[in-house]
Amino acid sequence: MNLNMEIELVGHSTGAYAVAALLNFDNLGVSKAIIISGYSFLFNSQIYPHIGLIDAFCSENKAALQKMTDVIMSAADFNGKIEPFIECLKAYGYIGTTFKLTKHALTAFYLFLDIHDLDYHPDIVWIWFSEVKNTLGTSRLHWRRILSFCNEYLLSGDICPDRKYKYIPASYDELPEWCKEAITGLLEQKKREYRETGTLRSYRCSCTSFCLFLIDHGYDSFEQISPEIIKEYSIQDKHSTFKGRTTRFVIVRAFLHYLAEYRYTERHGLDQCLISGSAPVDKIVDVLSDEQVQRIQEYRLTHNTPVELRDIAIVLLELKTGLRACDILSLRFQDIGWKKCQISIIKKLKHRSPFQCLLKWEMLYTFYYYHQISEAFQIIRGRNKTSGFVIPEVTGHE
């Protein structure tokens, strides 16, 4: 039997080296040093199940791989980029487990490329991942983000750790052009009105939902919209809360008004077919009981360390004024009118509003006493300037 021919049928260098190492044949002309340094990890029981074989792929993925002609780099070049990519992760503060997983995942993918004589392309990464993800258990999400980072690094030379990657195509991206054009126009209009990013996201989601409904009912343009189809859309909406349903309808009404204004449809007044009101809502507020308030007062009288005084000052302010934590922590002594026992600030709300509140002297005394102690610690720590905040920082050991 011609052993060299048998090995050639395996298809690539990895297969030849693997067989040579497994059978321990010396007459194959393969260096043992190369086998050990380059491919010994092929027989690692931890990595082997994650390599994947094209023969086991679904027919759709097999066909996609056969059509793949454009490549970014060879498999060998990809392997050479693994260590620089890990160094890039280190530069962004990643540690420990992430490095091990990165090395493991990218090595498995490299072996997949090498065994099947493929070169690197981002699309091949996701075809491979879709097939092997079921072998990864709960770590598949971590693998997915590492692979996204790697693709970004190989294409641009860097990564963006704060970026949110889209792994499933958004419904908006799959809409026909006649829908996208109108939705994009409305979103641009709302951007010019300085709407928040979250608001724009809600607009795109609601308009996409409406367009998908039209497409499911055979529509291929907005010219065909009628009051009847809008009524049917309102009936099929499955929001679990009145607020969600109302928000959706407010946005769709704005979309319908936009379509009429920019002549996507000749029918005017379609936005009046949706009712966007909701029933009045009463919120039940959870408040402290008299017993809980009494316990807070007792705590105030019996605790005197800097951290305890800080906690007392914050809780008393929340209890007596209703201020939020961010407003309390930014409170300065210049905001307190000592003679009038009054606080005057601008609340850090979406719409900044002035706020005034009268305080009892016992509260002001607590703030001042705590402030003097904490500022003393600031000086002890070697800081020449005091903070000026009513609630300056102290650490637990102080």
Side-chain angles (χ1 to χ4, degrees):
M1 181 175 65
N2 188 336
L3 293 176
N4 285 319
M5 181 62 67
E6 291 291 329
I7 292 169
E8 185 179 346
L9 291 175
V10 173
H12 204 253
S13 59
T14 302
Y17 292 151
V19 172
L22 183 62
L23 301 179
N24 195 23
F25 284 130
D26 295 330
N27 61 343
L28 299 177
V30 179
S31 169
K32 290 182 179 179
I34 295 176
I35 298 169
I36 294 171
S37 62
Y39 297 97
S40 60
F41 44 57
L42 183 62
F43 300 102
N44 183 331
S45 61
Q46 296 298 316
I47 200 171
Y48 178 76
H50 303 150
I51 296 173
L53 293 172
I54 289 181
D55 289 342
F57 284 14
C58 68
S59 57
E60 182 180 349
N61 284 337
K62 286 181 182 177
L65 288 173
Q66 290 174 354
K67 295 178 181 178
M68 195 74 62
T69 55
D70 297 330
V71 295
I72 306 299
M73 65 182 70
S74 67
D77 290 339
F78 174 84
N79 187 38
K81 295 287 187 180
I82 294 177
E83 288 301 329
F85 172 61
I86 293 176
E87 291 299 321
C88 179
L89 293 177
K90 288 181 181 179
Y92 281 99
Y94 287 91
I95 59 174
T97 304
T98 299
F99 297 152
K100 294 179 182 178
L101 186 144
T102 300
K103 181 74 173 178
H104 182 95
L106 298 185
T107 299
F109 178 63
Y110 161 65
L111 289 174
F112 168 77
L113 294 178
D114 194 68
I115 289 171
H116 298 96
D117 201 14
L118 296 172
D119 294 320
Y120 167 78
H121 189 280
D123 291 345
I124 296 179
V125 173
W126 298 121
I127 292 173
W128 169 75
F129 178 75
S130 69
E131 293 287 346
V132 303
K133 66 181 181 181
N134 292 332
T135 68
L136 306 177
T138 56
S139 66
R140 66 181 181 278
L141 299 181
H142 202 172
W143 276 58
R144 187 174 67 177
R145 185 159 182 81
I146 289 298
L147 293 174
S148 298
F149 276 158
C150 184
N151 284 337
E152 184 177 13
Y153 174 79
L154 294 177
L155 295 176
S156 67
D158 201 0
I159 65 172
C160 181
D162 297 328
R163 179 179 173 184
K164 293 183 178 180
Y165 294 96
K166 291 195 305 181
Y167 302 104
I168 301 175
S171 298
Y172 171 81
D173 296 330
E174 298 178 346
L175 289 175
E177 196 58 37
W178 61 273
C179 294
K180 284 185 179 179
E181 181 184 345
I183 295 175
T184 301
L186 177 63
L187 294 178
E188 290 297 326
Q189 184 184 84
K190 297 306 173 183
K191 284 181 183 178
R192 293 193 294 271
E193 296 174 2
Y194 301 100
R195 299 298 180 95
E196 298 288 340
T197 302
T199 302
L200 295 175
R201 192 180 300 116
S202 297
Y203 266 81
R204 188 174 71 171
C205 178
S206 297
C207 294
T208 299
S209 168
F210 179 66
C211 288
L212 289 174
F213 176 80
L214 296 179
I215 293 169
D216 288 342
H217 285 73
Y219 283 62
D220 55 15
S221 75
F222 293 114
E223 283 289 345
Q224 304 163 271
I225 297 179
S226 64
E228 290 74 23
I229 195 66
I230 295 174
K231 180 180 178 181
E232 188 175 343
Y233 172 75
S234 68
I235 293 173
Q236 64 84 43
D237 186 81
K238 301 298 182 183
H239 271 89
S240 59
T241 63
F242 284 115
K243 183 178 180 181
R245 181 181 175 87
T246 299
T247 302
R248 170 68 57 85
F249 287 177
V250 166
I251 293 172
V252 173
R253 285 185 65 175
F255 186 49
L256 290 170
H257 182 78
Y258 176 86
L259 294 177
E261 182 180 3
Y262 287 88
R263 298 188 176 279
Y264 286 94
T265 177
E266 295 299 325
R267 293 198 177 197
H268 293 270
L270 289 174
D271 55 305
Q272 302 300 318
C273 297
L274 280 177
I275 300 175
S276 58
S278 64
V281 177
D282 292 329
K283 293 185 177 179
I284 301 176
V285 181
D286 188 16
V287 298
L288 296 175
S289 66
D290 293 340
E291 180 183 353
Q292 290 171 322
V293 173
Q294 181 60 35
R295 289 172 62 186
I296 292 173
Q297 297 293 349
E298 292 172 358
Y299 184 92
R300 179 177 68 86
L301 297 174
T302 56
H303 293 76
N304 296 291
T305 68
V307 172
E308 290 170 342
L309 287 170
R310 178 200 62 192
D311 295 342
I312 291 168
I314 293 174
V315 172
L316 283 177
L317 266 178
E318 291 176 335
L319 186 63
K320 299 297 183 182
T321 66
L323 289 173
R324 299 188 304 169
C326 61
D327 295 317
I328 292 174
L329 294 177
S330 61
L331 186 65
R332 293 177 175 270
F333 267 89
Q334 64 201 40
D335 300 325
I336 299 178
W338 296 96
K339 292 183 178 179
K340 295 183 179 180
C341 298
Q342 178 177 285
I343 288 179
S344 301
I345 63 169
I346 302 296
K347 283 188 174 183
K348 290 186 177 180
L349 298 171
K350 186 174 181 180
H351 305 289
R352 297 167 66 87
S353 58
F355 174 83
Q356 288 187 341
C357 181
L358 294 176
L359 298 176
K360 293 183 178 180
W361 267 109
E362 61 182 10
M363 287 184 64
L364 295 178
Y365 176 75
T366 299
F367 302 150
Y368 186 76
Y369 180 45
Y370 163 67
H371 185 273
Q372 294 299 103
I373 293 176
S374 57
E375 291 294 343
F377 277 108
Q378 296 271 3
I379 296 171
I380 292 170
R381 290 201 297 261
R383 300 180 184 177
N384 295 326
K385 294 184 179 180
T386 57
S387 66
F389 289 100
V390 174
I391 311 292
E393 176 189 5
V394 294
T395 57
H397 69 272
E398 295 170 345

